[in-house]
Amino acid sequence: MLPRWSRALTQLSRLGSHRSLNHGNHFYAISRQSYAKAAAAVAPVTTDTLEKGLPSGPMVNLDKLFWSKPCSLALPPDSPLRIDETQYEGIKRVFLKLMLFYSKQSTSIRGANVVYKRVISQVDKPAIYEVFNLEKTFKTSYALLVLHMWLCLRRLKQEGKEGVEFGQYVYEIYNHDVELRVSKAGVNLLLTKWMKDLEKIFYGNIVAYDAALLPEARQDDLQNVIWRNVFSDDGSSKPDSAASRTVQAMARYVRREVSCLSITDKEAMFSGNFMFTPLNIEKAKLKGSG
């Protein structure tokens, strides 16, 4: 049976014969309707759940961001950020083998947990909201979470069946985390219903992102999808002039992460020993350049 997140790939295959994002827009219509209901359900949140308000730090010159040459996101062997498997020896190793600690499934689950930690690390840090001038709400946090999940699952799919199976573990961890986040935000009644709505958003978004990167897609398709999924509150299909630079910068960020992940080796992806481009470093470089 195909993993749940990969059902969207079936829909994407239907997009390949078209030269527009009409199908992607159809999915977005479902997503937006679901978003409206789900976001309303989680609106009364506590301050320790979400950090409301626009960033107070200095604005960055978005026009200078994310033009650098793509590079592997794999962490070097001596990086203190690496999370490597503890090497047990002797009787303890024998015991763990008997307990199936080293089975393919157990190893994949541990790796998937680290991969998801990398996603959360990028989405939950203030830097991404500061750089793109986003208010940290449930909607924006969830939209960024889906975006970075898509980046990971897209890369894992390049490893064929093994990557798709591993991606299923990542998706299940993500799904459990989203349920906890929704519950923590105050939604306890009809939780299953809201989770189904968010699942529709997830599928709709990843189909739209994939379609925006098809060879026949228009240059501005990706930024229009990002605008609808991440920035827009009124359902408009294209960013206004005030938001255009910010959305274009995020589109460059996304394209660069896609390229960086494509040259990140399989071992790093399956162990979680990679890091998305650190946005605070990009910001620091910009400050240093004056």
Side-chain angles (χ1 to χ4, degrees), residues 164-175:
V164 172
E165 290 176 350
F166 183 80
Q168 174 66 14
Y169 291 114
V170 180
Y171 175 82
E172 293 297 341
I173 294 166
Y174 145 85
N175 207 46

Side-chain angles (χ1 to χ4, degrees), residues 5 31 35 66 73 115-116 118-124 128-129 131-132 134 138-156 170-171 174 177-178 181 198-213 221-231 246-259 261 269 274 276-277 279:
W5 69 264
S31 299
Y35 246 147
F66 314 119
L73 299 180
V115 170
Y116 191 67
R118 304 304 186 189
V119 171
I120 292 301
S121 176
Q122 190 77 338
V123 170
D124 282 353
I128 196 167
Y129 301 91
V131 169
F132 296 113
L134 287 166
F138 180 87
K139 178 186 181 298
T140 55
S141 294
Y142 182 70
L144 292 172
L145 178 59
V146 173
L147 174 63
H148 287 81
M149 277 291 293
W150 165 74
L151 287 168
C152 286
L153 295 178
R154 177 184 172 85
R155 169 62 184 88
L156 290 170
V170 180
Y171 175 82
Y174 145 85
D177 179 56
V178 169
R181 287 170 180 249
L198 292 175
E199 188 176 40
K200 290 178 182 178
I201 293 171
F202 179 87
Y203 291 146
N205 284 9
I206 66 171
V207 169
Y209 287 133
D210 267 330
L213 291 187
D221 281 344
L222 179 59
Q223 65 190 56
N224 290 339
V225 170
I226 289 172
W227 164 255
R228 293 195 301 266
N229 290 343
V230 180
F231 291 89
T246 306
V247 178
Q248 288 174 13
M250 184 174 283
R252 290 196 304 273
Y253 164 74
V254 169
R255 289 187 186 278
R256 188 177 185 281
E257 295 305 277
V258 167
S259 298
L261 286 168
M269 293 304 306
F274 68 92
F276 289 101
T277 300
L279 297 173

Side-chain angles (χ1 to χ4, degrees), residues 28-44:
Y28 173 70
I30 297 174
S31 299
R32 182 166 164 258
Q33 183 181 22
S34 300
Y35 246 147
K37 294 186 293 182
V42 299

Side-chain angles (χ1 to χ4, degrees), residues 2-51:
L2 286 175
R4 281 190 286 167
W5 69 264
S6 65
R7 293 177 197 159
L9 301 177
T10 304
Q11 298 291 344
L12 177 59
S13 66
R14 300 173 186 172
L15 291 172
S17 60
H18 297 272
R19 295 185 176 274
S20 68
L21 288 180
N22 290 337
H23 287 72
N25 290 336
H26 170 69
F27 275 100
Y28 173 70
I30 297 174
S31 299
R32 182 166 164 258
Q33 183 181 22
S34 300
Y35 246 147
K37 294 186 293 182
V42 299
V45 297
T46 58
T47 54
D48 64 338
T49 304
L50 301 176
E51 300 169 10

